Amino acid sequence: QQQVKQSPQSLIVQKGGISIINCAYENTAFDYFPWYQQFPGKGPALLIAIRPDVSEKKEGRFTISFNKSAKQFSLHIMDSQPGDSATYFCAGPRAGYALNFGKGTSLLVTP
Amino acid sequence: DAGVIQSPRHEVTEMGQEVTLRCKPISGHDYLFWYRQTMMRGLELLIYFNNNVPIDDSGMPEDRFSAKMPNASFSTLKIQPSEPRDSAVYFCASSSTPGLAGEYNTGELFFGEGSRLTVL
């Protein structure tokens, strides 16, 4: 199984600030690095993902940065908004097409 | 498409009772996953199917848990007998096989809204 460890467990950011969540992985055979977003009462949904052959991917206010040598990838949320308040999960592949998820980071963006 | 549909959304039962959770995956998806979410353990993969065949059930906690997928549009997760420690949110997710060999695993799982189980 591919294990991922994310930090911090929780995060409070003021509106307009930058939210940063980190994820460390164990196995260099990873070929895909996704972040999922989950709102209360809903299932997780894919937010953004990156392949290991690029170091950064940006989609709107969301950016994934990938550091192969450190075996880490991080999620940056620029100009954080109260609507971004959710739980964020990084994930890594396991045998087949299933995913192992990190424990999650609860983000609260205050007005 | 309506997305992954799970039922019931909420279930409250007493210890020892049988619980059946149901899932309808997105049409055309050939993978179906059952996850369990708790505060302590996060999102755990219980079992997944490919083309209705169970591929990996190593996450099923005990023999009290069983899952079936009789056809491409329906799956059940059954707990018999249920225990208080089974209280959790159970998610079903589906996905389709990534493209031709050599393409990376897209890994996009489409989750339902979950079934919240409370065992008293």
Side-chain angles (χ1 to χ4, degrees):
Chain A
Q1 293 188 14
Q2 310 292 339
Q3 299 298 323
V4 289
K5 295 182 181 180
Q6 67 180 98
S7 61
Q9 186 175 356
S10 63
L11 185 61
I12 300 175
V13 174
Q14 282 193 331
K15 179 181 176 181
I18 302 174
S19 304
I20 302 175
I21 306 171
N22 299 301
C23 189
Y25 63 95
E26 295 181 345
N27 194 304
T28 55
F30 269 35
D31 61 356
Y32 180 70
F33 301 88
W35 285 95
Y36 279 71
Q37 180 187 54
Q38 183 182 28
F39 293 104
K42 302 293 185 181
L46 180 66
L47 178 64
I48 187 172
I50 196 170
R51 296 172 58 175
D53 54 351
V54 296
S55 60
E56 187 174 281
K57 180 177 181 180
K58 185 175 182 179
E59 290 185 358
R61 296 183 294 107
F62 300 91
T63 300
I64 292 184
S65 297
F66 176 64
N67 186 331
K68 188 174 182 177
S69 62
K71 293 197 288 186
Q72 288 185 340
F73 59 109
S74 60
L75 175 68
H76 296 235
I77 306 174
M78 311 301 287
D79 186 26
S80 299
Q81 299 296 311
D84 298 329
S85 298
T87 302
Y88 294 82
F89 298 91
C90 63
R94 54 186 288 164
Y97 298 115
L99 293 174
N100 281 335
F101 288 89
K103 290 294 181 65
T105 296
S106 178
L107 170 65
L108 175 64
V109 181
T110 59
Chain B
D1 199 312
V4 175
I5 299 173
Q6 292 187 243
S7 65
R9 289 297 312 279
H10 302 274
E11 175 91 5
V12 180
T13 190
E14 292 188 345
M15 183 174 63
Q17 296 299 305
E18 178 179 293
V19 174
T20 299
L21 307 178
R22 298 172 177 80
C23 175
K24 175 180 170 54
I26 292 173
S27 177
H29 282 185
D30 53 351
Y31 280 85
L32 184 139
F33 308 87
W34 282 100
Y35 281 86
R36 177 173 68 176
Q37 185 174 37
T38 61
M39 288 294 292
M40 289 297 295
R41 302 175 68 88
L43 272 165
E44 301 174 277
L45 178 68
L46 299 178
I47 185 172
Y48 77 91
F49 296 82
N50 178 221
N51 291 323
N52 313 336
V53 176
I55 301 300
D56 183 354
D57 66 353
S58 60
M60 296 287 262
E62 300 172 30
D63 291 344
R64 298 184 296 108
F65 286 70
S66 62
K68 294 182 179 180
M69 192 166 185
N71 58 63
S73 59
F74 184 66
S75 177
T76 60
L77 177 67
K78 185 173 293 186
I79 309 172
Q80 167 62 19
S82 59
E83 296 182 4
R85 59 188 168 136
D86 301 330
S87 297
V89 181
Y90 291 81
F91 286 103
C92 175
S94 69
S95 70
S96 56
T97 302
L100 298 173
E103 291 188 15
Y104 66 94
N105 177 5
T106 63
E108 181 167 10
L109 273 57
F110 294 83
F111 283 81
E113 295 198 325
S115 294
R116 180 176 294 277
L117 173 64
T118 302
V119 183
L120 303 175

